[in-house]
Amino acid sequence: MKFDKPAGENPIDQLKVVSQPHDRIDGPQKTTGTAHYAYEWHEQAPNAAYGYVVGSAIAKGRIAAIETDAAKNAPGVLTVITASNAGALGKGDKNTATLLGGPTIEHYHQAVALVVAETFEQARAAASLVQVTYRRDPGAYSLSDAKPTVKAPPEDTPDKNTGDFEAAFSAAAVTLDATYTTPDQSHMAMEPHASMAVWEGDKVTVWTSNQMIDWCRSDLAKTLKIAPENVRILSPYIGGGFGGKLFLRSDALLAALAARAVKRPVKVMLPRPAIPNNTTHRPATIQHIRIGTDAAGKITAIAHDSWSGNLPGGTPETAVQQTELLYAGANRHTGLRLATLDLPEGNAMRAPGEAPGLMALEIAIDELAEKAGIDPVEFRILNDTQVDPANPERFFSRRQLVECLRTGAEQFGWKDRNPTPGQVQDGRWRVGIGVAAGFRNNLLEKSAARVHLDADGKVTVETDMTDIGTGSYTILAQTAAEMMGVPLEKVAVHLGDSSFPVSAGSGGQWGANTSTAGVYAACIKLREAVAAKLGFDPNQAQFSDGKIISGSRSANIAEAAASGPLSAEDSIEFGDLAKQYQQSTFAGHFVEVGVDSATGEVRVRRMLAVCAAGRILNPKTARSQVIGAMTMGLGAALMEELAVDTRLGYFVNHDMAGYEVPVHADVPEQKVIFLEDTDPISSPMKAKGVGELGLCGVGAAIANAVYNATGVRVRDYPITLDKLL
Ligand code: MOS
């Protein structure tokens, strides 16, 4: 189905099942341990061997010698895989560094060997016997050192200029010129990267933990130099991804290589301390922001430049994305600069671009509002735009930033805030309130699904979509139930299998809207098939209570499958509408903090997010997405930082003891309000994404609250107590 004109009224609009706060249909399996994660497919491979990854102990250079005999002779060891015996490997499209390194080493903890043994413990013990002699090359590991050397933008991300920024900025009545930094961050998904591979002849099946089944299949096939038809990927349950599992990683490749070598199933898990350096991370940024307003506080000039680093061939963190669209202003400049760094690969982490970009921009807006003498909520409203500021012909499909801010201010008690910093005391705590705007684009990707109807009236959905903890199973079931007019209990959903139709996958917060729209498209076809079988006109028929109904005639839809299941498959594809309108999601984030007067310790007291994110398909799972994201934003503001060893080139705190994330006690009160935002431009579902929006802006709202509490403006994240004293 091609989606190229605004959605009219359709069966989803009944909202009998969709938009209802249903519990997760996969909740019972997950809470009883019967949902199998990647490392848990014991019954499928009782004779599995175990692989243990040896990571490089240098960041850049070469392996001069690798001695594996001692490991091979250790108890239980079956083989040791290295680049020299793994056979010729290709390279996937999505990986920057090679997943099995050697002799060239591109980053610290790049896999250089996999020890395969009867048990995990034997593999781990033998891994310590692999002797690698390295020849270390000098590398670049400091973004701030590399920054002055980067003058031009990367070829495929040129600067964007509208009007004359420099002239308008020098003529502005009020100006802000400030630099902000965000650190490298790690996804820290609860479930580590893990895979199990089984070969049958020239076909390999890999149970893994991956957000994007089709990318994984295609990149594994390319790396193994085999046909994609010979690769099957299964990832039905995922314990969090956050962008860290968008791509094929070393666990899946090494499991496949090892299983081929030892001719039996092999499991490979990346232990927690291996993950931050072996896999990807959100790259650190240095962001330079200049904004000028006229005497009335209207932005006349806005510029945002962001520096980040990556391995050769890597991409920049697109931290200026939101600055192109969030506020009005005739004269604009955005630019990305990319330094070559020999740190592990930088890549997408939840809301790549906007998450770190708004951490900087929304402090800058707070600073500028104060300079202009305007309340920060009112300042943002004053500078709202309903069109793409660089292309005024192009409207947002819907844009309720103003409503988000107004509703939030009202609900949070903003009018009682003391605008003068450092004035409100509660015992030993200094108390402050902060606000920030949230923004994340609504991305659209093709998504396909297959649906079946059986003789019991049961509907089964199959798509290679994943559920990374987001609630995909539930909203896809809700969609099929609404479309086919059956109760939710009559729908089964099967996900995360490359033998199913290719979905948009879980990334960029596009999954909910696009994968449900794919199921919508398949269900339209299934409705037609049911109607044809039972002699109804599909354009007149309604589907309700397990029946197809037209006028006074009705029949059980199950009868259509009496002589065998009915199946239909289709996809949603997005046409010109996506180009005609700018599609984005918006939020207002409000935070109250207390800062200990003596120690500088920051405690968040209250958080509120007001979101405009299209039709909300399930308010319960959507709320869970947003409060999870708000919690992640709290981590970004106050705790999270991969500490770089700039001499040796690695992340020092590469485990959960040293890389701090928030716990329940850090988050006393979170409220989420969804505005009515049904958007006929986004898809037949009229939905958008919300999973990343919840993170966008939170960090700055906390930083602004800390400033309001203390009068100390911290521009370098995370806001640890040493920066407040
Ligand atoms: Mo998201 S960072 O595209 O999983």
Side-chain angles (χ1 to χ4, degrees):
M1 174 185 289
K2 184 105 173 173
F3 183 71
D4 51 12
K5 53 178 186 299
E9 198 180 333
N10 68 45
I12 295 297
D13 295 330
Q14 304 172 95
L15 304 184
K16 288 182 189 165
V17 195
V18 169
S19 287
Q20 302 304 318
H22 285 290
D23 288 347
R24 286 162 195 260
I25 61 170
D26 51 330
Q29 286 102 294
K30 286 183 172 173
T31 49
T32 56
T34 49
H36 286 183
Y37 289 78
Y39 210 61
E40 299 177 332
W41 296 93
H42 313 298
E43 284 154 32
Q44 282 67 17
N47 61 333
Y50 291 79
Y52 195 90
V53 175
V54 178
S56 169
I58 65 164
K60 186 176 161 83
R62 288 179 73 77
I63 294 176
I66 183 160
E67 177 48 64
T68 58
D69 283 352
K72 279 182 185 149
N73 292 328
V77 172
L78 301 168
T79 191
V80 178
I81 308 277
T82 65
S84 36
N85 66 12
L89 296 179
K91 184 132 178 247
D93 295 334
K94 308 280 183 189
N95 301 119
T96 302
T98 308
L99 296 176
L100 176 57
T104 304
I105 296 297
E106 294 156 292
H107 64 87
Y108 188 82
H109 273 178
Q110 183 174 28
V112 295
L114 184 82
V115 179
V116 188
E118 294 290 345
T119 69
F120 172 81
E121 290 76 12
Q122 288 170 330
R124 181 176 59 185
S128 66
L129 303 175
V130 174
Q131 291 294 323
V132 190
T133 311
Y134 297 99
R135 220 172 276 137
R136 196 190 298 269
D137 288 336
Y141 309 118
S142 160
L143 178 60
S144 55
D145 288 354
K147 178 177 175 268
T149 67
V150 193
K151 305 281 186 225
E155 218 167 84
D156 48 357
T157 49
D159 290 359
K160 293 186 183 172
N161 293 296
T162 304
D164 185 345
F165 168 78
E166 298 294 344
F169 187 66
S170 21
V174 183
T175 60
L176 172 92
D177 181 333
T179 298
Y180 306 84
T181 67
T182 63
D184 296 285
Q185 295 178 334
S186 184
H187 310 84
M188 287 292 165
M190 196 181 291
E191 180 203 20
H193 295 255
S195 297
M196 177 175 80
V198 180
W199 287 84
E200 273 175 275
D202 56 1
K203 293 188 191 322
V204 65
T205 300
V206 181
W207 285 263
T208 187
S209 185
N210 191 290
Q211 300 172 226
M212 301 291 294
I213 299 299
D214 199 53
W215 292 1
C216 184
R217 174 162 88 149
S218 133
D219 271 1
L220 184 57
K222 281 185 178 159
T223 311
L224 293 172
K225 295 180 177 254
I226 62 176
E229 300 77 55
N230 289 346
V231 176
R232 183 165 176 205
I233 302 294
L234 289 149
S235 182
Y237 296 102
I238 299 168
F242 309 110
K245 295 173 182 167
L246 286 167
F247 316 112
L248 171 71
R249 299 304 317 166
S250 62
D251 56 303
L253 174 65
L254 291 170
L257 290 173
R260 188 165 65 184
V262 301
K263 299 187 169 45
R264 62 189 261 202
V266 172
K267 291 182 171 189
V268 178
M269 177 263 294
L270 295 183
R272 181 69 60 186
I275 292 175
N277 288 288
N278 178 273
T279 70
T280 62
H281 66 282
R282 190 201 300 282
T285 64
I286 299 172
Q287 301 181 49
H288 181 210
I289 297 181
R290 289 167 293 164
I291 315 178
T293 73
D294 63 18
K298 284 240 185 196
I299 294 172
T300 52
I302 181 164
H304 191 163
D305 292 284
S306 173
W307 285 259
S308 58
N310 217 329
L311 289 166
T315 52
E317 180 68 25
T318 53
V320 303
Q321 239 160 221
Q322 69 293 318
T323 308
E324 292 160 12
L325 293 161
L326 193 49
Y327 297 111
N331 303 287
R332 322 179 65 87
H333 161 82
T334 53
L336 296 171
R337 298 291 181 269
L338 178 61
T340 300
L341 294 181
D342 301 295
L343 291 171
E345 176 182 343
N347 216 314
M349 181 165 136
R350 200 175 195 173
E354 282 98 329
L358 283 159
M359 286 167 77
L361 177 67
E362 286 297 291
I363 298 183
I365 292 291
D366 201 67
E367 296 197 56
L368 189 59
E370 186 180 44
K371 282 188 162 202
I374 300 174
D375 172 87
V377 171
E378 295 305 323
F379 184 82
R380 288 176 170 85
I381 291 170
L382 179 67
N383 286 295
D384 185 50
T385 176
Q386 292 292 318
V387 296
D388 174 350
N391 180 5
E393 311 280 281
R394 193 155 175 270
F395 282 77
F396 286 87
S397 60
R398 289 181 61 80
R399 174 172 167 126
Q400 297 195 82
L401 175 61
V402 170
E403 292 80 356
C404 289
L405 291 166
R406 288 235 186 273
T407 305
E410 168 76 30
Q411 295 294 316
F412 205 69
W414 182 260
K415 65 175 179 359
D416 299 328
R417 168 183 181 264
N418 187 329
T420 310
Q423 298 300 305
V424 182
Q425 197 85 22
D426 175 10
R428 66 190 173 102
W429 300 97
R430 293 195 186 170
V431 179
I433 289 178
V435 64
F439 173 97
R440 171 71 173 153
N441 274 325
N442 187 56
L443 306 172
L444 299 165
E445 301 285 337
K446 182 181 173 182
S447 196
R450 188 155 59 214
V451 283
H452 309 282
L453 172 68
D454 72 18
D456 298 326
K458 202 173 131 199
V459 176
T460 304
V461 176
E462 293 173 341
T463 162
D464 84 353
M465 179 60 186
T466 50
D467 189 325
I468 59 176
T470 38
S472 311
Y473 277 103
T474 312
I475 57 172
L476 293 170
Q478 288 175 267
T479 303
E482 194 84 65
M483 290 300 290
M484 301 313 298
V486 299
L488 197 59
E489 303 71 52
K490 281 280 197 185
V491 182
V493 178
H494 300 302
L495 302 182
D497 183 339
S498 63
S499 67
F500 298 151
V502 176
S503 73
S506 296
Q509 84 168 11
W510 62 62
N513 177 48
T514 57
S515 70
T516 54
V519 170
Y520 172 98
C523 285
I524 291 281
K525 284 211 169 156
L526 186 59
R527 287 162 64 110
E528 288 166 0
V530 170
K533 201 95 182 172
L534 299 177
F536 284 76
D537 175 354
N539 299 313
Q540 301 295 323
Q542 290 180 324
F543 288 71
S544 184
D545 299 320
K547 293 189 173 61
I548 178 169
I549 305 159
S550 183
S552 56
R553 261 190 80 212
S554 77
N556 286 327
I557 59 168
E559 287 168 28
S563 56
L566 279 189
S567 299
E569 181 174 335
D570 201 1
S571 65
I572 191 86
E573 282 184 81
F574 296 90
D576 283 346
L577 264 188
K579 296 192 196 92
Q580 281 166 29
Y581 290 90
Q582 176 60 40
Q583 293 192 34
S584 307
T585 61
F586 299 89
H589 286 289
F590 293 79
V591 176
E592 180 181 306
V593 300
V595 182
D596 190 301
S597 312
T599 67
E601 176 191 0
V602 179
R603 304 297 301 180
V604 169
R605 297 178 152 208
R606 295 191 288 143
M607 307 177 87
L608 167 68
V610 183
C611 302
R615 168 180 278 159
I616 298 302
L617 300 172
N618 180 329
K620 196 167 188 175
T621 53
R623 176 182 178 275
S624 294
Q625 278 296 290
V626 177
I627 62 173
M630 291 158 81
T631 307
M632 200 166 176
L634 193 164
L638 302 178
M639 303 167 187
E640 290 185 54
E641 173 174 23
L642 285 169
V644 181
D645 184 321
T646 54
R647 299 158 307 162
L648 299 177
Y650 71 105
F651 300 129
V652 180
N653 51 340
H654 50 89
D655 58 33
M656 291 192 84
Y659 187 87
E660 263 195 84
V661 297
V663 298
H664 281 94
D666 293 311
V667 192
E669 181 188 311
Q670 293 176 312
K671 281 194 183 149
V672 182
I673 295 170
F674 293 112
L675 298 184
E676 159 58 40
D677 194 40
T678 305
D679 189 342
I681 304 296
S682 65
S683 83
M685 302 303 295
K686 305 171 187 172
K688 289 180 185 164
V690 74
E692 297 185 330
L693 175 67
L695 170 60
C696 295
V698 178
I702 293 172
N704 296 338
V706 169
Y707 173 74
N708 182 243
T710 62
V712 182
R713 187 62 85 176
V714 180
R715 299 188 183 86
D716 301 299
Y717 292 97
I719 306 168
T720 45
L721 48 76
D722 52 297
K723 297 174 186 171
L724 295 168
L725 295 174

